Amino acid sequence: MFIESIILHNYRAYKGHNKTSFKQDAKNIFLVAGNNGFGKTTFLTSLVWCLYGKLMVDVDEKFRRDINDAQGYKNYARQSLHKELASVVNTYEASPEVRKRIIKHGYSSESEYIKKDAQYYVEISISDVFIPSIPCRTITIRRTYDYFLDTEFVEVLIDGQVNELAKDVGYDIFINDFILSKDIAKFFFFDAEKIVNLAEVKSLDEKRRLSTAYSEVLGIKKYEDIKRNLENLRLKFRKSAGSTASKAKLDRLQAGVDNLEAQIRTKEEERERVDNQIQQYRAEAVQLQERLIREGNAISVEDLKKQKELLITLKEKDSKLKSQLREMLDVAPFAISGKLFTDLMTQVIAEKKIKTTAASCAAINAALQLTQTQITERVSELKLTSLQKQAIERIIADVFANNIVETSVEDAAAIKVLVDFNDSESNEFQALFDNIRYSFNTLFKQLVKDIKNNALFMAKTQRKIVEAEYDDGNGDIKEIRMRKAEVDELLAQLDIQTRHLSEQIGTLNKDIKVLKKQLSEVAKHVRVDKADKEKDLIAERLIGELTTFLFELRAKRKFSLEKKIMAGIDVLMHKADFIHSVRIDLQNDIIEIELLDKAGEIISKEKLSKGEQQLYATAILNALVEESGIEFPVFIDSPLQKFDSIHSRNVITKFYPSVSKQVVIFPLLGKELSEDEYNVLLPNVNEVYIIENENGCSSFKKITPNKLFETLS
């Protein structure tokens, strides 16, 4: 798919008719640049709104928060009309009857002036769309909101005409099923600065929501849905055919499932409300912290953040060093025992020597005795007289008797067995002895020194943080500090509340699984009607085939995704072999992605810098888009936030040109995209638009790509 044009009409900062057109050729990157507040993020939001309307809450948590902050979708939509026009429309008066008449019959010539001011819309024209059974070249999607009437409607035109099939399906469903599913849209419309959320997922619920999106983009979810629908169909057959008792049992179990699902929805809504409160209080906490810094004339917020991150690192180091010290203290008694330890080693070596010698002698003697027996047996077979045979046997016995190996009686008597180590124990003790003899003292002294130095550094860092946050000599600061303490306490309580809700939801989900299993077992023993028997058998066969197929598909996707993510990391990160491999678990409803080092140990994602987390998340995004096989444009806001110069160059040269056939980025020029970085990007740049803003009204200005920074200077 390729987006040929986008129109923003009276949408937020974009007053009037504002159109961007994109031509399709070998260069796949398009820039829409502008200053903060001019409408870069608004442009990105407009596209999501155009495609999904009120369902945009399912695309990204940001949109959910924005709508919640507006106290509902209706208010959010009303706030999206350009402010000047909203003020004008608010002056228009009309009776409820007039409004109803307009809704039913449309605006009359007398009220057309209201429509002109009251409506805003976003329109997207897409080419290269494949829709089964519907031939098409271009699809145009327009979503309109009428501020005056408080109504929203969407239009979909295929090659400029209304398509009855698309209309019958429902335009929102059509867009979701044939253009881009809302569940995977976050991978195509994203804020590069916030993409680290992919790397920072912690809670079980966050993992579950993200896993749903992964399953969707990997093509797993649609087969799971088909399987679930077939299972429900078989249950329906049994409900309609079973006895009164079996029906009652099935109904009771199904009612139990429905009740638990309703409880989960209630808990999830409550948790969403709590999460919104957490976001609000966190924002207030940041503001209060900034005031503390500002009023106290202490270090900057960014420096304070770095100090806190440093403190976490120092505490982790302290824990690791003390753990090493405990391990060394376990063997310290050997180190301080001096000559006794050396004597013990001598004893172990002597015992091992005696055992080795005795074992060798026993083996030699056994071999000699066996050989003697075999020679004697062969001599007895010879045609000799009895005297001759006896003479030969005596000679053989004398010869072998002279060659029997005996251990030194003196050596054996001189060594008394005290420790009686086997070979493995002797080797381990030898290694311990060598370690203590050659390196223990040096390592122990260095470790104690490192612990002391780290403790001093940690105390110094803690002191810096305290000095930055507190200033008892100022009454205003005391007041701010008290409110900060209150907010921190509220956040702690809300965190406990949301964890408790998550646990409750987890328990309810487990209970549902139990009930569904019982439902399945009961259903097995209910016969279906003859009319449905063949359908039931087909459904059963398909469920079995789907189960096998899903197992194989997960294995295939797991292997492929691991390779693609690792390839992305290798390309984007400049730390050679820092991340050695990627491991993915796709077995359950939770998809886990783990990073491993050379030793196969898991690398904590929390230990990655923000820039490294963003690169890792970018590698995930690139892998998912590639693995999905979905050809849809990728839109990226804040494209180079958190990246250093080396990583920025990698992203510019390796990620943007390959992630999609059409990539639209929204940089803040100079800050998020320097002139040098742009020159590296330029060979892949197709078109450039600058967002201009005059008197609160934004518009697009198309400029020649190689003249961008000349235009700005």
Side-chain angles (χ1 to χ4, degrees), residues 235-401:
L235 182 61
K236 184 180 176 183
F237 290 155
R238 281 150 180 79
K239 280 185 176 181
S240 63
S243 64
T244 304
S246 61
K247 281 182 181 178
K249 196 168 185 179
L250 287 171
D251 287 340
R252 188 172 65 254
L253 289 168
Q254 186 62 56
V257 172
D258 294 341
N259 178 50
L260 289 174
E261 286 177 342
Q263 289 185 52
I264 288 173
R265 285 194 295 272
T266 302
K267 297 290 183 185
E268 285 177 339
E269 288 171 3
E270 188 178 351
R271 184 174 59 189
E272 185 178 325
R273 179 182 59 77
V274 174
D275 286 342
N276 289 331
Q277 286 181 305
I278 289 172
Q279 293 296 330
Q280 291 170 5
Y281 282 124
R282 280 178 179 167
E284 185 180 354
V286 170
Q287 291 173 356
L288 290 167
Q289 182 61 61
E290 289 175 349
R291 287 185 64 189
L292 282 170
I293 298 296
R294 193 166 54 249
E295 298 290 336
N297 194 29
I299 62 177
S300 68
V301 176
E302 187 62 31
D303 286 339
L304 179 62
K305 184 181 177 184
K306 289 179 180 178
Q307 289 296 320
K308 287 184 174 181
E309 290 174 351
L310 175 61
L311 183 60
I312 293 170
T313 303
L314 291 171
K315 285 181 177 179
E316 290 174 350
K317 186 178 179 180
D318 182 68
S319 178
K320 188 182 291 184
L321 290 171
K322 286 179 178 176
S323 176
Q324 292 175 6
L325 181 63
R326 284 192 294 272
E327 290 175 2
M328 294 195 77
L329 289 174
D330 288 340
V331 299
F334 294 102
I336 62 177
S337 61
K339 188 174 181 299
L340 289 174
F341 189 42
T342 304
D343 291 343
L344 180 58
M345 186 70 248
T346 304
Q347 176 71 23
V348 170
I349 293 170
E351 289 184 17
K352 185 178 181 181
K353 183 180 177 183
I354 290 296
K355 285 184 179 180
T356 303
T357 304
S360 299
C361 291
I364 292 168
N365 292 339
L368 288 170
Q369 287 171 356
L370 179 62
T371 304
Q372 180 184 345
T373 302
Q374 290 174 345
I375 293 173
T376 303
E377 288 173 354
R378 297 294 296 272
V379 168
S380 65
E381 295 172 1
L382 298 174
K383 294 180 180 181
L384 300 171
T385 64
S386 172
L387 289 172
Q388 288 174 323
K389 288 179 181 179
Q390 288 174 6
I392 292 171
E393 286 172 359
R394 279 198 300 273
I395 292 169
I396 292 169
D398 290 342
V399 171
F400 276 92

Side-chain angles (χ1 to χ4, degrees), residues 63-99:
F63 303 125
R64 185 184 297 275
R65 286 197 304 270
D66 290 345
I67 290 171
N68 285 335
D69 290 343
Q71 298 181 329
Y73 179 75
K74 183 178 178 180
N75 287 334
Y76 176 83
R78 287 182 64 81
Q79 291 170 9
S80 295
L81 177 67
H82 191 277
K83 289 181 179 180
E84 285 184 14
L85 296 176
S87 301
V88 172
V89 177
N90 284 333
T91 65
Y92 299 150
E93 295 181 0
S95 66
E97 290 75 19
V98 171
R99 291 176 185 268

Side-chain angles (χ1 to χ4, degrees), residues 496-553:
I496 293 170
Q497 192 175 344
T498 192
R499 282 201 301 272
H500 185 56
L501 286 166
S502 293
E503 289 170 2
Q504 289 177 325
I505 292 169
T507 302
L508 289 168
N509 276 315
K510 287 179 183 177
D511 293 342
I512 283 179
K513 285 183 179 179
V514 172
L515 279 182
K516 283 184 174 180
K517 191 173 181 180
Q518 291 175 4
L519 193 63
S520 177
E521 289 299 318
V522 172
K524 284 180 183 177
H525 302 289
V526 179
R527 294 182 179 179
V528 299
D529 287 336
K530 287 183 178 179
D532 297 324
K533 192 169 182 179
E534 187 177 349
K535 289 183 255 183
D536 184 66
L537 288 170
I538 293 171
E540 183 182 21
R541 176 175 59 79
L542 289 173
I543 288 169
E545 290 175 357
L546 277 168
T547 301
T548 304
F549 174 76
L550 278 166
F551 178 81
E552 293 172 351
L553 180 62

Side-chain angles (χ1 to χ4, degrees), residues 18-249:
N18 298 275
K19 183 176 182 178
T20 55
S21 298
F22 306 110
K23 70 174 186 292
Q24 190 171 358
D25 64 21
K27 297 180 179 181
N28 71 323
I29 296 174
F30 301 81
L31 263 73
V32 181
N35 294 330
N36 280 331
F38 279 20
K40 295 189 286 79
T41 302
T42 296
F43 194 169
L44 190 68
T45 302
S46 75
L47 305 179
V48 178
W49 176 76
C50 178
L51 292 173
Y52 307 109
K54 63 183 178 182
L55 297 178
M56 64 193 299
V57 296
D58 297 328
V59 174
D60 192 90
E61 190 63 30
K62 174 190 180 299
F63 303 125
R64 185 184 297 275
R65 286 197 304 270
D66 290 345
I67 290 171
N68 285 335
D69 290 343
Q71 298 181 329
Y73 179 75
K74 183 178 178 180
N75 287 334
Y76 176 83
R78 287 182 64 81
Q79 291 170 9
S80 295
L81 177 67
H82 191 277
K83 289 181 179 180
E84 285 184 14
L85 296 176
S87 301
V88 172
V89 177
N90 284 333
T91 65
Y92 299 150
E93 295 181 0
S95 66
E97 290 75 19
V98 171
R99 291 176 185 268
K100 286 179 182 177
R101 192 162 56 248
I102 293 174
I103 291 173
K104 188 174 181 179
H105 302 289
Y107 287 95
S108 64
S109 56
E110 290 82 11
S111 59
E112 188 68 23
Y113 71 97
I114 300 176
K115 176 182 176 181
K116 178 176 154 301
D117 294 334
Q119 289 189 352
Y120 69 85
Y121 65 82
V122 178
E123 180 181 292
I124 304 173
S125 293
I126 310 171
S127 62
D128 298 345
V129 184
F130 172 73
I131 300 175
S133 305
I134 301 179
C136 68
R137 293 185 301 276
T138 304
I139 290 180
T140 301
I141 301 166
R142 177 189 285 192
R143 189 176 298 272
T144 305
Y145 193 88
D146 192 306
Y147 182 92
F148 184 71
L149 301 174
D150 268 334
T151 57
E152 179 180 302
F153 48 94
V154 61
E155 302 170 272
V156 175
L157 300 178
I158 298 177
D159 293 336
Q161 303 294 321
V162 173
N163 184 276
E164 292 301 323
L165 178 61
K167 189 176 179 181
D168 291 342
V169 168
Y171 289 140
D172 284 322
I173 294 173
F174 178 83
I175 293 167
N176 191 75
D177 290 355
F178 295 104
I179 305 300
L180 186 68
S181 169
K182 61 182 173 58
D183 294 320
I184 64 175
K186 69 172 67 187
F187 301 123
F188 296 87
F189 301 93
F190 66 92
D191 185 331
E193 188 176 11
K194 295 181 177 64
I195 195 179
V196 293
N197 294 337
L198 290 176
E200 292 179 327
V201 172
K202 295 176 184 176
S203 74
L204 187 63
D205 187 60
E206 286 176 324
K207 288 181 180 179
R208 190 173 280 113
R209 284 204 295 266
L210 194 56
S211 295
T212 301
Y214 286 166
S215 294
E216 178 77 27
V217 78
L218 294 173
I220 297 172
K221 187 175 178 294
K222 61 184 177 184
Y223 295 108
E224 290 175 332
D225 290 343
I226 294 171
K227 183 185 173 186
R228 194 176 300 109
N229 290 337
L230 287 169
E231 290 169 343
N232 291 335
L233 180 64
R234 296 193 75 204
L235 182 61
K236 184 180 176 183
F237 290 155
R238 281 150 180 79
K239 280 185 176 181
S240 63
S243 64
T244 304
S246 61
K247 281 182 181 178
K249 196 168 185 179

Side-chain angles (χ1 to χ4, degrees), residues 595-636:
L595 306 176
L596 307 176
D597 60 19
K598 272 187 175 180
E601 298 293 326
I602 296 173
I603 300 170
S604 173
K605 298 183 187 77
E606 294 177 1
K607 292 183 178 179
L608 301 176
S609 69
K610 288 297 181 185
E612 288 169 341
Q613 286 182 351
Q614 193 173 342
L615 286 166
Y616 160 61
T618 301
I620 293 177
L621 178 85
N622 190 38
L624 287 168
V625 172
E626 187 178 346
E627 190 67 20
S628 73
I630 298 170
E631 291 187 358
F632 194 86
V634 171
F635 297 83
I636 308 170

